[in-house]
Amino acid sequence: MPPHQYPGSGNGSGENPLELAIGIQVRACRTRLGMTAADLARASRISVGMMSKIENGVISASLATLQALSRALDVPLTTFLRGREYEGNAIFVPAGAETAFEMGEARAAQRYKLLGYFGTHASSPTVETYLFTLDKETDAFPPLEHFGMEFLYLLEGEMTYRIGSMRYLMGPGDSLSFAGHTPHGPEQLIRLPVRFLSTISYL
DNA sequence: AATCTTCATCCATCCAGTCC
DNA sequence: GGACTGGATGGATGAAGATT
């Protein structure tokens, strides 16, 4: 298959494009870790034959099976779906080309960048993803509120994050999912710089 | 309306065959 | 010989129709 051509798209087969896409992602993750199909099958507690069919898009693996694979590969379940959606309507943001925002005088040093969005109009996206970089202790900001749901993933640093009356001590790799209408925000920046991804869904 | 039966479909395993 | 593929097969599940 030529580079940049998505598996299952335009290959003439027209069969199980989503299953093929998932299979390609599973295989890519597996080979990246230097595992054989048998290794991954063993780790996921499925048969080697099943592994073969999943990787070749022959079957639609159940969610339980995909979850087992994601755990064995130590990747989020959504990794297997990456790149399949919105093939003809993708938004590519090269490194350094993000849209930077300043959040007002009181938060002058605290910056966040819009990495991408999806929706029928840029003015009313259904999903937005931001990269926050907080490099001063004073960058912690008052709680925010908004519609929809938010997912937060801490990349670097350490902080306490407040959601309503709850406080969460977060380190790299920790994540939070919560309703946007609950007042939330970084409360104390413990180890700088703090960098985290924030995805907001307005659905 | 609730229960039972039948049938189709899906997901998974087994295992023989193929490929490198 | 190890890795992988794909056909055959079985168990689980759900939909649809029949019966009470």
Side-chain angles (χ1 to χ4, degrees), chain A residues 70-143:
Chain A
S70 72
R71 284 177 176 162
L73 292 166
D74 196 25
V75 297
L77 185 58
T78 51
T79 298
F80 301 148
L81 303 172
R82 192 173 296 160
R84 176 60 216 171
E85 303 90 342
Y86 318 131
E87 286 181 41
N89 196 10
I91 298 170
F92 175 61
V93 180
E98 310 91 338
T99 307
F101 293 85
E102 298 289 346
M103 294 184 68
E105 292 179 8
R107 308 164 196 168
Q110 177 260 319
R111 298 178 65 198
Y112 66 106
K113 296 178 178 180
L114 177 61
L115 296 182
Y117 60 85
F118 193 85
T120 51
H121 300 287
S123 60
S124 58
T126 48
V127 178
E128 292 174 320
T129 299
Y130 295 93
L131 172 63
F132 282 75
T133 302
L134 311 176
D135 47 21
K136 296 186 182 66
E137 283 187 15
T138 54
D139 282 353
F141 48 86

Side-chain angles (χ1 to χ4, degrees), chain A residues 45-63:
Chain A
R45 296 184 179 178
I46 63 176
S47 70
V48 178
M50 187 66 183
M51 270 303 308
S52 172
K53 289 172 183 175
I54 292 171
E55 291 192 345
N56 289 292
V58 176
I59 62 165
S60 300
S62 67
L63 282 172

Side-chain angles (χ1 to χ4, degrees), chain A residues 151-162:
Chain A
F151 172 79
L152 189 152
Y153 185 85
L154 190 65
L155 299 168
E156 184 180 5
E158 195 174 339
M159 68 175 175
T160 57
Y161 198 90
R162 181 181 173 182

Side-chain angles (χ1 to χ4, degrees), chain A residues 9-53:
Chain A
S9 64
N11 60 4
S13 70
E15 296 175 356
N16 306 335
L18 178 58
E19 287 80 357
L20 273 170
I22 291 172
I24 289 293
Q25 292 294 339
V26 170
R27 177 171 286 159
C29 292
R30 172 172 67 80
T31 54
R32 201 176 302 135
L33 294 175
M35 299 172 78
T36 66
D39 292 337
L40 181 54
R42 204 162 30 243
S44 308
R45 296 184 179 178
I46 63 176
S47 70
V48 178
M50 187 66 183
M51 270 303 308
S52 172
K53 289 172 183 175

